[in-house]
Amino acid sequence: MGGPLNLHTLGMTTKSSRETYCPNNLETQNLTRVSEFQLVGISNDPELQPVLFGLFLFLYLVTVFGNLLITLAVSSDSQLHTPIYFFLPILSLNDICFISTMVPKMIADIQTNSRVISYVGCPTQMSLYIFFLCMDDMLLTVMAYDRFVAICHPLHYTIIMNPFSCCVLVLVSALLSLLDSQLHNLIALQATCFKGVEISNYFCDPSQVLNLSCSEHFRNSMVMYCIGATLGVVPVSGILFSYYKIASSILRISSSGGRYKAFYICGSHLSVVGLFYGTAIGVYLGSTVSHCLGKVVAASLMYTVVTLMLNPFIHSLRNRDISRTLKRLHNRTICGSHLDCNIEMSVKIKN
C-alpha cells in the first residue's frame, strides 16, 4: 500500500470510501476495512515454518525456565537473602515479562501463518516492550550502583543498601520505565495517518512504527532523542561511572585475593551489561545503517531473544553462590524422588 492510512477509520467498516493525504504524499487511498498492521516475518519459506516454530518455542521455554530457576534459587536460600542478590530475581522476572511481550505472538503467527496485529494490539505491545526494556536498563544501573557501594564503601554497605532503599530504587525504576513507555505511546498515538501498514520487524518496533507516520518526522525524532538521552544515556553514564570507581578501587587493593573477590562480585553483572548494550548497539546500527530487512529482524532477535536466554546461564555459571544453590536444589529433588521410590517399594514388599 503506497498511500496514507487515517487512524480515525481504523477498526471501523463502512460502505463509503474515504480519502486522506500525507503532507509529503499526494496519492490517495481508500481506507475502507483497514484496522490492522502487517508484521514482517522471519522467513517466507513454508518448509522452514515448523523448524522456526520449534526453535523459538524451545528458546522461549529455556528463557522462562532459566529465569524461574534463578528466582527460585535466590528465594529458597536464606544465605542469598542479602542486598546484593535483592535485584537479581526482579531482573529475572522482568526478563520473563520482556520476552513474553513479543515471542509468544511470533510463535502463534508462525503456527497460524499470519502476520497481522490489530491497531489496539500494536500500541499495547509497543508500550509493554518499552516498559520492560527500560526496566532492564534501570535495574542494571541500580545493580551497578549496588556493586559500587559493596566495593568502594564495604563498611557502610548494609546501611546504604538497606531493604527500604532497595525497594525505593526498584519503585523509582518502575516509575521511570512507565513514564518512558507512556511518552513513546503518546507520540505514536498522535499520528493521524500512516504511509503504509507494513512494520519492518517481527513485532511493533516503536522506531519502525514512527517511520511509517506521516506526521512531523523531525519533531518526533527530536522528542525521541530527548527521551532516549534522559532515560537511556543517563543510566549508561551511571554504569560507566560506577565501574570507573570500582576499577579505581580494585587497582588500589594490594592482595590478589581481594582483587579476585572484587572481580567475582562484578563478574556476572558486567557480562550481562556487556551483552545487553552490545546487542542494543548492534540493533541500532543494523536499523540505521542496513536497509536489508533480514538483517534488521536478525539483530532484533539477537537483542530480544538470544540475550534474554543467555542471562540465566551467565548468572548461574559465573556466580558460585547461585551455582551452589542450584546444585543443592537439584540434589534435593533427586533425593526426594529416590525417597519416594524407596517408600513405595517398601509398601509393595510389605503388602
Side-chain angles (χ1 to χ4, degrees), residues 2 29 38 73 78 83 88 106 110 124 173-174 196 198-199 205 217 229 232 236 238 282 332 344:
Q29 180 176 350
Q38 195 79 16
S78 59
L88 184 55
M106 178 184 64
I110 294 174
T124 302
S173 300
E198 187 176 72
I199 299 173
D205 188 345
H217 185 70
V236 173
R332 189 185 304 171
E344 185 178 353

Side-chain angles (χ1 to χ4, degrees), residues 211-232:
N211 285 338
L212 293 177
S213 173
C214 297
S215 58
E216 300 178 24
H217 185 70
F218 177 76
R219 183 196 64 184
N220 291 341
S221 299
M222 289 302 298
V223 174
M224 295 288 286
Y225 282 132
C226 290
I227 296 173
T230 305
L231 299 176

Side-chain angles (χ1 to χ4, degrees), residues 289-342:
V289 177
S290 175
H291 299 285
C292 178
L293 292 180
K295 293 182 178 180
V296 174
V297 174
S300 298
L301 287 173
M302 283 292 299
Y303 183 57
T304 57
V305 179
V306 179
T307 300
L308 299 179
M309 183 197 68
L310 293 178
N311 284 348
F313 293 99
I314 294 174
H315 286 301
S316 59
L317 294 177
R318 301 203 55 155
N319 192 307
R320 288 180 301 176
D321 295 332
I322 299 293
S323 300
R324 187 189 65 249
T325 303
L326 291 174
K327 290 178 181 178
R328 188 183 305 162
L329 289 173
H330 180 259
N331 294 334
R332 189 185 304 171
T333 303
I334 294 177
C335 292
S337 62
H338 284 329
L339 181 60
D340 292 339
C341 291
N342 291 335

Side-chain angles (χ1 to χ4, degrees), residues 237-252:
S237 302
I239 293 175
L240 293 177
F241 177 77
S242 296
Y243 275 103
Y244 166 74
K245 301 296 289 185
I246 288 172
S248 300
S249 298
I250 291 176
L251 292 176
R252 290 196 297 266

Side-chain angles (χ1 to χ4, degrees), residues 235-293:
V236 173
S237 302
I239 293 175
L240 293 177
F241 177 77
S242 296
Y243 275 103
Y244 166 74
K245 301 296 289 185
I246 288 172
S248 300
S249 298
I250 291 176
L251 292 176
R252 290 196 297 266
I253 299 175
S254 57
S255 64
S256 59
R259 291 185 179 183
Y260 174 78
K261 184 177 180 181
F263 279 117
Y264 165 72
I265 292 174
C266 301
S268 60
H269 176 261
L270 194 57
S271 300
V272 172
V273 168
L275 185 63
F276 181 83
Y277 287 105
T279 52
I281 293 172
V283 170
Y284 175 77
L285 293 178
S287 59
T288 55
V289 177
S290 175
H291 299 285
C292 178
L293 292 180

